[in-house]
Amino acid sequence: MGLATSQTTGAAPRTAPEMKRVHWEPGSHEARTEKFYGLGVENYGDFHGGYLNFGLWADGNDDYVAAAQNMVCQIARRTGLNERGAVLDVACGMGPETVFLQRRFGCQVDAMDVCWKHAVAAAGRVEKAGLAEQIRIHHGTAASLPFEDRTFTHVLSVEGPQHFNTRERFVQQAHRVLEPGGKLGVTDFVLNREPRSLTDRLIVEGAARLWHIPEANYADARQYEQLLVRNGFEGVSIEVVGKDVIPGYYREQHKWSTIRQVAKIRGPLAYPGHLIDYAAYKAFTSGLVEYVLVWAQKPAVK
């Protein structure tokens, strides 16, 4: 019986099974991504509330946690999430957005991340919040979701799809695990135009390599919509919001207080986050890259 069915029929509260670790093949995309994001997780604590997304900065807000929660809230609201929802949160990071989703919308949540240290931190955050009956954490890859067909009412992913190997494989998996009429909501980066010069190409390729973005995921908004449609989704909506995302995040990451704390957490030399942030900002200000909110629906059975 799928999660959505058990939620709507009033079945007994769920219990969280012991989380199983997946051991990635050495040198695989998943192994490289896990190593990159796992650096310093044990030192993170509650810095930035545990959030990792760029944030949706609006109305003069200059608080990172508020911006990060605004991002999660926006994508959830636009998919119509409510207390009847059965959500799969893919690339959940250290779990703050997962806890936020459950508390704000009252839904049941399964959350998954490719990074084992993230999954462990997320499970600890869920336990501390007293939400083990409402949230289950998993370790796994978006390219092969370990869930039965037609299990969820919603699949959400905040800034995960650009990393997935590949984005299209994730979209296919999301379609499979969604029930008919289910909603997909993601935030993502897209190309705004083709690179025109060597400098353009260096910016795009440099950011992609540092950030572990597969070349197959290079796409503009039109190609993104085509990807969703050819994999069975309808009602696709793509909103361009880069001006409300990237500059605010860049300013936050370049505060001295943030730089010092990140150096303590990740290490001052081993983590190339400042280079990635600079490359993303340059790519945006030069018109190469945009940030989008994306919504789509799996057709309902007629």
Side-chain angles (χ1 to χ4, degrees):
M1 181 167 59
L3 173 59
T5 304
S6 64
Q7 171 67 3
T8 55
T9 56
R14 305 184 308 164
T15 57
E18 182 180 354
M19 185 168 57
K20 296 180 181 179
R21 181 172 188 176
V22 180
H23 294 278
W24 310 118
E25 287 291 329
S28 66
H29 176 77
E30 288 79 7
R32 294 194 304 271
T33 304
E34 181 175 60
K35 181 179 179 180
F36 173 75
Y37 273 106
L39 190 63
V41 168
E42 60 275 9
N43 303 322
Y44 214 89
D46 203 39
F47 174 64
H48 274 175
Y51 286 95
L52 297 172
N53 76 58
F54 273 48
L56 186 60
W57 307 79
D59 302 324
N61 171 56
D62 63 356
D63 178 75
Y64 171 74
V65 173
Q69 291 177 342
N70 188 29
M71 178 70 77
V72 177
C73 202
Q74 180 75 358
I75 202 71
R77 282 176 174 166
R78 288 288 291 270
T79 60
L81 184 60
N82 57 38
E83 69 278 1
R84 296 185 300 277
V87 180
L88 175 60
D89 179 20
V90 187
C92 66
M94 292 177 283
E97 70 180 56
T98 307
V99 171
F100 176 81
L101 281 169
Q102 200 290 318
R103 285 177 166 169
R104 176 61 64 92
F105 297 96
C107 50
Q108 295 284 334
V109 188
D110 279 78
M112 191 179 77
D113 202 274
V114 72
C115 176
W116 174 248
K117 288 184 179 180
H118 277 183
V120 170
R125 185 169 264 107
V126 168
E127 183 177 359
K128 184 177 180 180
L131 295 173
E133 291 185 351
Q134 293 80 26
I135 300 173
R136 294 186 294 195
I137 305 296
H138 310 265
H139 182 229
T141 173
S144 182
L145 297 175
F147 305 100
E148 296 181 1
D149 296 358
R150 302 186 175 197
T151 298
F152 300 100
T153 63
H154 295 73
V155 173
L156 306 179
S157 185
V158 177
E159 291 174 22
Q162 72 269 16
H163 297 298
F164 298 157
N165 191 25
T166 60
R167 181 190 285 129
E168 182 153 20
R169 180 60 179 159
F170 162 65
V171 167
Q172 293 166 351
Q173 287 285 295
H175 189 276
R176 178 184 65 79
V177 302
L178 279 169
E179 65 180 29
K183 305 290 183 62
L184 173 69
V186 304
T187 77
D188 210 342
F189 292 84
V190 296
L191 288 174
N192 196 43
R193 62 172 174 82
E194 289 294 322
R196 297 171 184 161
S197 65
L198 176 60
T199 300
D200 283 353
R201 289 193 292 273
L202 287 173
I203 291 172
V204 171
E205 291 296 331
R209 288 180 181 275
L210 286 168
W211 214 9
H212 299 280
I213 299 175
E215 187 174 354
N217 292 349
Y218 297 3
D220 59 26
R222 179 183 59 83
Q223 292 166 331
Y224 208 128
E225 181 177 8
Q226 291 172 342
L227 181 154
L228 289 164
V229 171
R230 73 170 172 261
N231 285 291
F233 284 95
E234 64 182 17
V236 178
S237 175
I238 298 179
E239 182 178 350
V240 175
V241 295
K243 64 181 177 58
D244 297 322
V245 174
I246 296 173
Y249 180 75
Y250 184 75
R251 288 192 299 269
E252 173 66 24
Q253 292 301 104
H254 283 76
K255 292 178 180 177
W256 277 113
S257 58
T258 302
I259 292 171
R260 288 194 297 269
Q261 189 63 32
V262 171
K264 291 178 181 178
I265 293 169
R266 305 282 199 179
L269 300 176
Y271 181 69
H274 60 291
L275 296 176
I276 297 169
D277 296 339
Y278 179 73
Y281 183 71
K282 285 293 293 182
F284 170 71
T285 56
S286 62
L288 275 166
V289 167
E290 259 296 351
Y291 192 104
V292 292
L293 309 182
V294 182
W295 300 272
Q297 179 171 329
K298 180 175 179 176
V301 175
K302 297 181 179 179

